[in-house]
């Protein structure tokens, strides 16, 4: 049975992994993504570190795998629809910049949010009474914002995309009836694409049209995650989990189109091979799960993410280290707190609800149009249905209310202008999951 499962699961997971679209729209703090399983979406991910009875435990706490008997596989798919409308409060062009300089007649960018798609794939196999092995294919980080072509802040941001895919072989070991440990290796591929307009008219005058700049890069690196799950008794358990940071050295190229021949010799307006460092942060989570009675369970989670690692975004020419872009980020560490409950409506149906507070990573002074991050509040509901004794369907929905986020961009004011405004944002998320025991 195990060998048949291993062979079939390997082919199944490989095909799905090759087809995964990892582009996502960030909505958790920074560009982190919580949507790693529909089974926990309905509780706002309360209990994700301690519950241990769903496949997303491979991501949130690998020790939870120890609670699985037999061989299990599951797929999840989340649709994330953010709305981010900017109200521009000030545009300054007093220092010049030519006829193309941003003005009050330019667009406010439209809805910067784009539809994000987050797939996840999980598989678990029990080796013996103490050891389980599994694999998790997830999308832990993602970002996508896109503005109208002729909007006022086009010299600072047009399209911003960060896409990741994380493949993690995972193992759990049951130390005793009360304590289980787990660990996994993360192989993480990250790619990024950043575009913006370049104000050529500010340099040569004469109403010269804008040029366009596109930066692309990618890298594969690795990290790890570890966790522990402790059962105080049959009804109450505690979980703790740590995910390591992953260091990326993105390599790619900068391409510019529309640069006049007269400026072809300017180093910062030339195509080039490029590089940039990016560290996806480490995080620590704790969780508590308690079965109140045979119908009602309550749960909670708290997470810390080390976003203070993100101090600068520096893009350089690969050949001579010429700095092509330098943005001070100076992010802060973030915290996520959630409370949730589950109610067993009937033997085959479970209902979920949850709330959460998600602390943003960016202060007003350093918020940018590429990532207008801010504090958020989550409201979630979920539905689980046993389709058979081997198959379970799960759906979760979250509505996220974001606090207004003020942004001012004024680097290189002579060419790019000074733009200030406030984002009004919200996010809706629908997650669907299917799990099967082989």
């Amino acid at each position: 049975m195990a060998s048949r499962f291993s062979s079939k699961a390997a082919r199944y997971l490989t095909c799905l992994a090759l087809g995964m679209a990892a582009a996502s729209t960030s909505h958790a703090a920074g560009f982190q993504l919580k949507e790693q399983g529909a089974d926990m979406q309905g509780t706002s991910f309360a209990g994700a570190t301690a519950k241990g009875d769903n496949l997303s435990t491979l991501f949130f706490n690998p020790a939870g795998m120890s609670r699985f008997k037999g061989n299990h596989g599951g797929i999840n798919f989340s649709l994330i629809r953010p709305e981010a409308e900017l109200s521009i409060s000030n545009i300054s062009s007093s220092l010049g910049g030519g006829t193309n300089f941003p003005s009050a007649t330019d667009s406010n960018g439209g809805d910067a949010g784009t539809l994000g798609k987050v797939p996840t794939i999980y598989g678990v196999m029990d080796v013996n009474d103490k050891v389980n092995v599994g694999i998790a294919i997830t999308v832990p980080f993602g970002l996508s914002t896109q503005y109208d072509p002729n909007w006022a802040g086009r010299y600072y941001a047009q399209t911003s995309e960060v896409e990741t895919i994380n493949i993690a072989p995972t193992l759990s070991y049951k130390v005793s009836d009360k304590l289980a440990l787990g660990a996994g290796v993360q192989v993480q591929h990250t790619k990024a694409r950043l575009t913006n307009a370049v104000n050529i008219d500010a340099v040569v005058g004469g109403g010269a049209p804008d040029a366009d700049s596109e930066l692309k890069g990618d890298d594969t690196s690795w990290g790890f995650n570890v966790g522990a799950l402790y059962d105080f008794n049959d009804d109450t358990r505690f979980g703790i989990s740590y995910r390591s940071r992953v260091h990326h050295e993105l390599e790619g190229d900068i391409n510019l189109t529309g640069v006049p021949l007269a400026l072809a010799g300017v180093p910062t307006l030339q195509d080039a091979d490029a590089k940039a460092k990016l560290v996806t942060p480490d995080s620590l989570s704790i969780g508590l799960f308690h079965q109140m009675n045979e119908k009602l369970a309550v749960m909670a989670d708290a997470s810390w993410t080390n976003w203070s690692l993100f101090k600068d975004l520096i893009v350089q020419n690969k050949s001579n280290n010429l700095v092509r872009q330098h943005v001070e980020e100076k992010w802060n560490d973030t915290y996520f707190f959630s409370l949730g409950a589950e109610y067993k409506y009937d033997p085959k149906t479970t209902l979920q609800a949850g709330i959460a507070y998600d602390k943003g990573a960016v202060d007003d002074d350093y918020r940018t149009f590429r990532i207008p991050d801010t504090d958020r509040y989550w409201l979630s509901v979920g539905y689980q249905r046993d389709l058979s004794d081997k198959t379970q369907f799960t759906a979760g929905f979250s509505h996220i209310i974001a606090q207004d986020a003020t942004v001012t961009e004024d680097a290189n004011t002579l060419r790019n202008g000074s733009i200030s405004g406030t984002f009004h944002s919200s996010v809706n998320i629908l997650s669907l999951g299917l799990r099967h025991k082989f």
Side-chain angles (χ1 to χ4, degrees):
M1 177 66 177
S3 62
R4 289 200 304 272
F5 170 76
S6 300
S7 175
K8 289 181 179 178
R11 293 196 299 270
Y12 179 62
L13 294 175
T14 299
C15 290
L16 284 175
L18 291 174
M20 287 174 75
S24 308
T25 300
S26 172
H27 70 278
F31 49 92
Q32 189 177 28
L33 290 166
K34 283 284 186 182
E35 291 67 36
Q36 308 305 325
D39 37 36
M40 299 307 303
Q41 187 77 47
T43 66
S44 295
F45 299 94
T49 312
K51 194 163 182 273
D53 68 349
N54 54 79
L55 288 172
S56 63
T57 192
L58 274 75
F59 179 89
F60 292 108
N61 185 355
M65 272 200 317
S66 63
R67 298 180 60 83
F68 282 83
K69 301 301 179 186
N71 305 315
H72 300 256
I75 58 174
N76 297 271
F77 192 78
S78 297
L79 290 173
I80 306 173
R81 182 59 180 101
E83 294 182 357
E85 293 280 355
L86 175 66
S87 298
I88 295 177
S89 58
N90 183 63
I91 299 176
S92 173
S93 57
S94 59
L95 296 180
T99 58
N100 291 343
F101 202 89
S103 70
T105 61
D106 289 329
S107 164
N108 69 347
D111 185 356
T114 62
L115 181 66
K117 301 169 288 292
V118 181
T120 60
I121 305 170
Y122 298 106
V124 174
M125 180 176 69
D126 64 342
V127 177
N128 54 45
D129 290 341
K130 290 185 175 293
V131 178
N132 282 9
V133 296
I135 187 167
I137 305 177
T138 60
V139 183
F141 299 94
L143 164 69
S144 180
T145 55
Q146 186 170 356
Y147 297 92
D148 293 341
N150 294 316
W151 84 287
R154 60 190 177 273
Y155 303 128
Y156 292 102
Q158 286 279 31
T159 298
S160 305
E161 296 174 350
V162 176
E163 304 176 2
T164 66
I165 182 170
N166 204 87
I167 300 176
T170 307
L171 179 144
S172 70
Y173 179 73
K174 198 164 187 176
V175 179
S176 68
D177 289 340
K178 290 185 174 294
L179 178 63
L181 304 176
V185 176
Q186 303 177 63
V187 180
Q188 187 176 105
H189 179 74
T190 297
K191 63 179 181 179
R193 176 175 175 263
L194 306 176
T195 71
N196 59 271
V198 180
N199 190 356
I200 298 298
D201 188 46
V203 180
V204 299
D210 292 341
D212 294 298
S213 173
E214 180 185 56
L215 164 68
K216 295 189 295 185
D218 71 300
D219 179 64
T220 299
S221 192
W222 69 278
F224 65 91
N225 62 319
V226 294
L229 189 66
Y230 184 81
D231 289 63
F232 293 102
N233 52 50
D234 292 341
D235 297 325
T236 306
R237 51 188 175 269
F238 170 81
I240 184 169
S241 179
Y242 173 79
R243 294 180 66 83
S244 76
R245 67 191 67 175
V246 178
H247 293 266
H248 290 285
E249 181 85 29
L250 302 177
E251 294 187 354
D253 51 68
I254 299 173
N255 292 305
L256 288 102
T257 56
V259 177
L261 289 176
L263 300 179
V266 178
T268 56
L269 295 178
Q270 295 175 343
D271 293 349
D273 293 333
K275 62 181 181 179
K277 291 182 179 180
L278 175 68
V279 181
T280 55
D282 49 331
S283 60
L284 178 69
S285 300
I286 58 173
L288 188 66
F289 175 87
H290 179 64
Q291 189 76 43
M292 301 284 290
N293 54 50
E294 63 180 18
K295 285 187 173 291
L296 180 64
V298 294
M299 57 213 75
D301 250 69
S303 301
W304 160 84
T305 303
N306 191 14
W307 276 118
S308 58
L309 292 170
F310 195 26
K311 299 182 184 301
D312 297 273
L313 174 62
I314 301 175
V315 180
Q316 297 174 282
N317 285 356
K318 191 175 178 181
S319 60
N320 58 11
N321 294 326
L322 175 69
V323 175
R324 301 294 294 269
Q325 185 177 144
H326 182 189
V327 180
E328 280 190 304
E329 301 291 351
K330 293 189 177 180
W331 284 15
N332 305 311
D333 293 347
T334 63
Y335 301 90
F336 184 90
F337 303 100
S338 56
L339 296 171
E342 291 186 340
Y343 179 74
K344 195 78 171 176
Y345 179 76
D346 62 37
K348 292 186 176 182
T349 306
T350 301
L351 305 178
Q352 299 175 312
I355 59 174
Y357 170 69
D358 190 7
K359 175 67 177 174
V362 188
D363 294 332
D364 288 353
D365 291 344
Y366 295 99
R367 189 177 291 116
T368 67
F369 291 121
R370 292 200 185 277
I371 311 179
D373 188 47
T374 187
D375 297 354
R376 299 163 175 85
Y377 300 91
W378 292 53
L379 301 171
S380 303
V381 292
Y383 171 84
Q384 295 182 350
R385 177 74 177 179
D386 293 337
L387 303 180
S388 70
D389 58 352
K390 291 186 176 181
T391 305
Q392 183 185 72
F393 167 77
T394 303
F397 176 80
S398 297
H399 177 66
I400 300 175
I401 304 167
Q403 291 187 343
D404 289 350
T406 300
V407 180
T408 297
E409 293 252 37
D410 55 7
N412 194 0
T413 306
L414 182 62
R415 180 179 295 178
N416 298 337
S418 174
I419 315 293
S420 298
T422 300
F423 281 94
H424 311 283
S425 306
S426 64
V427 187
N428 289 310
I429 304 165
L430 176 64
S431 295
L432 304 174
L434 197 64
R435 166 179 144 188
H436 185 72
K437 183 176 180 180
F438 295 87

